[in-house]
Amino acid sequence: KVDAKLDSAWYRPGTEVIVSGDARYFFGKAVDGGTIKVVGSTFDVSFTPFAEVQATTSEDGAFQAKLTLPAYVVGSALDSGKGLLKVDVVATDTAGQEVSVSKTAAIAQGAVDVTLVPESGKLVPGMENRIFVVTSDPTGGPVSADVVLRQNGETLANVTTGQKGLGTVTLTPSSDGALVFDIEAKAGSETVSLQRTLNVGAATDTVLLRTDKALYKIGDTINVEVRLGEARERVWLDVVSDGRTAGI
């Protein structure tokens, strides 16, 4: 079998990737003098190789190889613009037997990412909306950061996310459509600039639903605030538990 690891959980475009590991037979003996082929690929529509290097295992089966990422990597809109690195490692012993393993890592421009989450899924025009600001590292772990939201050069909000990487800002959109935010986030000594877009729904088809707490105990009273884009005679609320309606 072959074991391999990358020297980081994420990388910037154009940086070096160090792949290390060892190759052993199933009964534990090291593969001495084996050939290691390392292929690095990035994902666009599919995985596309960008580099291939070879190494030789030492007496104890260990190996190390180095790759350099391309200076430009296509990011995925579904993953906040981050790219994906895949490293395939193929080990071949002197008898020609092959085993392989693959490792992946994120590719990002900076050490902090920002996600904007409207409380109702999309913004409601003419009403005060809460927007949750989530800051994370390229692997998805929470990061505390100072975040500034701007639009057309005007500062709309400043927020500092805590250790859980979560903050809240309020915004009242004037009309439906899409809002593009220029974001500056500072975490530690690093500052990154990002753009994020949020959709604004029509006032007639959007609902804001707010509870007074995020977590309740059995027997607690749930206070619910409902805000509609236009006046309605009644509002019906269903309480659903495990896929079944528990109350109305």
Side-chain angles (χ1 to χ4, degrees), residues 6-212:
L6 308 179
D7 63 321
S8 179
W10 69 277
Y11 299 90
R12 302 175 197 268
T15 57
E16 184 179 70
V17 179
I18 300 177
V19 187
S20 59
D22 61 69
R24 295 184 177 276
Y25 294 102
F26 71 92
F27 50 84
K29 181 181 178 181
V31 178
D32 182 9
T35 300
I36 303 294
K37 182 175 72 172
V38 180
V39 179
S41 304
T42 56
F43 188 82
D44 187 352
V45 178
S46 59
F47 280 105
T48 303
F50 64 85
E52 178 179 323
V53 297
Q54 288 194 346
T56 302
T57 59
S58 61
E59 291 182 358
D60 58 358
F63 66 88
Q64 186 181 92
K66 297 180 180 180
L67 306 169
T68 299
L69 282 166
Y72 174 77
V73 176
V74 175
S76 169
L78 297 176
D79 200 18
S80 301
K82 293 192 290 292
L84 181 62
L85 165 69
K86 182 175 74 141
V87 176
D88 296 307
V89 179
V90 180
T92 306
D93 68 5
T94 53
Q97 301 178 90
E98 288 187 0
V99 290
S100 62
V101 68
S102 297
K103 298 293 180 179
T104 59
I107 304 173
Q109 294 290 344
V112 59
D113 188 29
V114 180
T115 303
L116 302 180
V117 184
E119 61 179 322
S120 65
K122 57 184 175 182
L123 298 174
V124 181
M127 300 174 62
E128 184 180 80
N129 293 249
R130 293 176 186 166
I131 301 175
F132 299 105
V133 181
V134 183
T135 52
S136 59
D137 64 27
T139 67
V143 171
S144 178
D146 296 319
V147 181
V148 181
L149 272 64
R150 296 187 177 93
Q151 189 179 47
N152 299 323
E154 179 185 354
T155 299
L156 301 179
N158 294 270
V159 61
T160 298
T161 60
Q163 292 184 345
K164 295 183 178 180
L166 182 63
T168 306
V169 299
T170 58
L171 178 68
T172 304
S174 58
S175 61
D176 59 3
L179 294 180
V180 179
F181 298 93
D182 296 310
I183 300 174
E184 183 179 275
K186 182 177 181 181
S189 60
E190 182 161 358
T191 300
V192 298
S193 297
L194 309 163
Q195 269 197 347
R196 295 290 182 262
T197 302
L198 294 180
N199 292 320
V200 184
T204 57
D205 63 1
T206 49
V207 177
L208 288 181
L209 182 67
R210 295 174 180 170
T211 57
D212 59 333

